[in-house]
Amino acid sequence: MSGPDGLSDHAPVLTAHRAGLVGCRGCGRVWPEHAEVCGRCGARLASPDRRSLQAVWAWWLAGLIFYIPANLWPMLRTQSFLGLAGNTEATILGGVVDLMHYGNYGIAAIVFVASIVVPIGKFVVIAWLARVAGKPASVEAAHTRLRALEAVEFIGRWSMIDVFVVAILSALVQLGFVASIHPGPAAVSFALSVAFTMLSALSFDPRLIWRGLPLRTRRDRTAE
């Protein structure tokens, strides 16, 4: 069966790597495999290699290590009347519970999604992509992997919302003797965790997604 462009709907999948070409990660243009520098943007050219996943796993593990204390240590420390009225500390999850207790369900949902759901989702997706990268896949599965990578890169910019809130509160609520808010050690751990997971996603070579495509789909081989 032929499509509107006259090509077979189940034509063999030919990638740049199998065509003897190498794609530039900077501008996307392809060059002969022996080329070392992109003639368009000047970036160095390198063929996709599963050994590059070592950097992905290293950054991923570093982010996971710092994410654990980010949830166990206090994110905010509040001092009232120079400590005479007591000092309070709040973790990320404790802050969500407090917000719900005072009826701020919308803000609580935003903090919970940005600080709990999104980071855990990023860890899961990056680990999954690193495990399946370069392995055989259908065209549909490759597109699914690519959309997952694009989603991780898109939500990465929203991962620092907790750190931003802590920084703003620490700058605004400094009332001297009355009350003051200071960032807790979890703020640093959370910022480092986000930075490391972003580096992990950036270290992932998306060309590995397409390198695992078979030359022919199983349906093609059955039809033959």
Side-chain angles (χ1 to χ4, degrees):
M1 180 182 294
S2 299
D5 53 3
L7 299 175
S8 172
D9 291 336
H10 309 303
V13 178
L14 182 63
T15 63
H17 175 70
R18 289 174 176 146
L21 302 172
V22 58
C24 175
R25 293 193 65 182
C27 63
R29 181 168 178 174
V30 294
W31 300 91
E33 201 167 23
H34 58 78
E36 297 182 356
V37 179
C38 177
R40 174 186 286 175
C41 66
R44 292 193 61 83
L45 300 175
S47 299
D49 191 343
R50 280 183 57 85
R51 286 177 294 183
S52 63
L53 294 175
Q54 295 176 2
V56 176
W57 283 114
W59 291 122
W60 181 90
L61 182 60
L64 182 62
I65 290 174
F66 279 96
Y67 184 68
I68 295 174
N71 285 273
L72 298 178
W73 293 348
M75 179 68 75
L76 277 177
R77 287 174 172 167
T78 305
Q79 185 182 63
S80 302
F81 295 101
L82 294 179
L84 298 177
N87 300 326
T88 58
E89 296 181 342
T91 60
I92 294 176
L93 203 55
V96 172
V97 174
D98 289 340
L99 288 170
M100 294 179 63
H101 176 73
Y102 290 108
N104 298 316
Y105 298 106
I107 299 177
I110 293 174
V111 174
F112 179 77
V113 171
S115 304
I116 305 295
V117 177
V118 169
I120 293 178
K122 287 173 62 177
F123 284 122
V124 172
V125 173
I126 293 174
W128 172 67
L129 288 173
R131 285 186 58 84
V132 302
K135 295 183 179 180
S138 64
V139 177
E140 292 79 6
H143 278 289
T144 300
R145 298 173 185 178
L146 182 62
R147 285 192 291 268
L149 178 61
E150 291 175 344
V152 168
E153 293 177 344
F154 174 78
I155 64 178
R157 69 193 69 179
W158 302 103
S159 302
M160 284 286 195
I161 187 169
D162 255 15
V163 179
F164 292 152
V165 170
V166 171
I168 292 172
L169 288 176
S170 300
L172 293 179
V173 186
Q174 296 295 335
L175 303 180
F177 176 78
V178 180
S180 61
I181 293 179
H182 303 280
V188 178
S189 296
F190 190 84
L192 289 173
S193 176
V194 171
F196 289 146
T197 51
M198 290 177 66
L199 288 172
S200 178
L202 291 174
S203 300
F204 184 83
D205 190 347
R207 297 175 300 175
L208 289 172
I209 293 176
W210 308 106
R211 189 168 183 175
L213 292 178
L215 287 176
R216 292 180 181 272
T217 62
R218 183 178 300 177
R219 185 163 37 184
D220 295 335
R221 293 193 295 270
T222 304
E224 293 176 353

